[in-house]
Amino acid sequence: MTTPSKKEAVQKRDPVATSKALLQAAITEFTQYGFEGGRVDRIAQLAGCNKQLVYHYFGSKADLYKLTLEEVYREIRESEMQLHLEDLPPQEAMARLVAFSFDYLAEHPEFIALLNDENRMDACHLKASENIAEMHSPLVKMIEETLARGISAGLFNKKFEPINLYLSIAGLSFFYFSNHKTLSVIFKRDMTAKDSIDARRTHVIELILSALRP
């Protein structure tokens, strides 16, 4: 009979810490290998626990992947709520949101990799999520309120509704980072260089603010 290690024994007594460690390991694994290439044994090894604990806490590889997607979405949505846009003038608030969206993708390539993988699979895991839509409601409300304040102050036009505006904000940044390798070859410019990233960041912010002006 195999005697569990001290680390495993501690983890069994602390399910919250164990679940968190496994989830973070899953993010790393699925970011590198995708759902199909990801392996439960590597996730367990990275988290420093027994493989059976993965199934104990998450049920299956597919369930773990779904929760991994929910986790990366939760992290970005919670970070957005910390922007406190309601405390800023409308134009400054919108600029902060656009800048945050850009910077977050620059700093979190795992978010891009996981979303690309899930889109390739027709979002089959997100379709099984009961939480994903609710996560995005505060974001839509935040944008809606910022737009309304800007329109009321005569600073924004009335052309855009919140969801389409957010899709434009996210898309302008997401495309850049998800395609930087091909773009670098096509335009013979290192899209990962600091000056290229800084120029793109400024462009995206100015483009959105220009589109919102009356």
Side-chain angles (χ1 to χ4, degrees):
M1 182 175 179
T2 302
T3 303
S5 68
K6 182 178 179 182
K7 186 173 185 179
E8 287 178 359
V10 171
Q11 287 172 325
K12 288 179 181 178
R13 293 196 299 268
D14 190 351
V16 174
T18 303
S19 297
K20 185 175 180 179
L22 285 168
L23 198 54
Q24 291 303 311
I27 291 174
T28 299
E29 175 73 8
F30 291 133
T31 295
Q32 185 172 355
Y33 299 103
F35 172 72
E36 293 179 356
R39 291 174 52 182
V40 172
D41 55 347
R42 281 198 300 250
I43 292 171
Q45 183 178 19
L46 185 60
C49 67
N50 190 291
K51 178 180 177 179
Q52 294 306 313
L53 286 180
V54 178
Y55 298 108
H56 174 72
Y57 286 115
F58 300 104
S60 68
K61 176 182 169 181
D63 289 334
L64 175 57
Y65 188 79
K66 180 190 70 174
L67 291 173
T68 298
L69 292 170
E70 289 182 354
E71 177 66 11
V72 295
Y73 270 116
R74 182 193 63 78
E75 289 176 354
I76 187 173
R77 297 290 87 95
E78 288 187 354
S79 296
E80 285 164 344
M81 293 302 105
Q82 298 304 311
L83 296 175
H84 298 295
L85 301 187
E86 68 278 6
D87 297 332
L88 300 172
Q91 289 175 318
E92 186 178 344
M94 195 61 70
R96 175 177 288 188
L97 175 62
V98 177
F100 168 83
S101 298
F102 187 91
D103 294 340
Y104 194 90
L105 294 179
E107 296 164 4
H108 294 271
E110 74 280 1
F111 185 76
I112 295 172
L114 290 169
L115 265 61
N116 281 339
D117 191 45
E118 180 66 358
N119 274 290
R120 185 182 58 80
M121 294 184 288
D122 196 32
C124 61
H125 299 91
L126 283 184
K127 288 175 182 176
S129 172
E130 298 178 355
N131 305 310
I132 202 68
E134 184 179 346
M135 287 184 193
H136 290 69
S137 296
L139 170 66
V140 174
K141 182 179 180 182
M142 183 172 66
I143 296 174
E144 186 176 31
E145 291 175 346
T146 304
L147 275 175
R149 290 194 296 118
I151 292 170
S152 178
L155 299 171
F156 296 158
N157 60 59
K158 300 179 180 180
K159 296 178 183 178
F160 307 105
E161 56 91 23
I163 294 178
N164 266 325
L165 178 59
Y166 180 73
L167 291 177
S168 295
I169 293 171
L172 286 167
S173 300
F174 194 95
F175 179 86
Y176 182 85
F177 290 109
S178 65
N179 295 276
H180 64 83
K181 292 181 180 178
T182 53
L183 293 173
S184 296
V185 174
I186 291 168
F187 296 108
K188 296 182 179 180
R189 177 190 301 175
D190 183 3
M191 296 298 176
T192 64
K194 186 179 184 303
D195 57 345
S196 295
I197 293 175
D198 289 347
R200 180 63 183 174
R201 184 181 191 272
T202 299
H203 172 81
V204 171
I205 295 171
E206 292 181 349
L207 191 64
I208 293 297
L209 292 181
S210 295
L212 289 171
R213 292 189 188 108

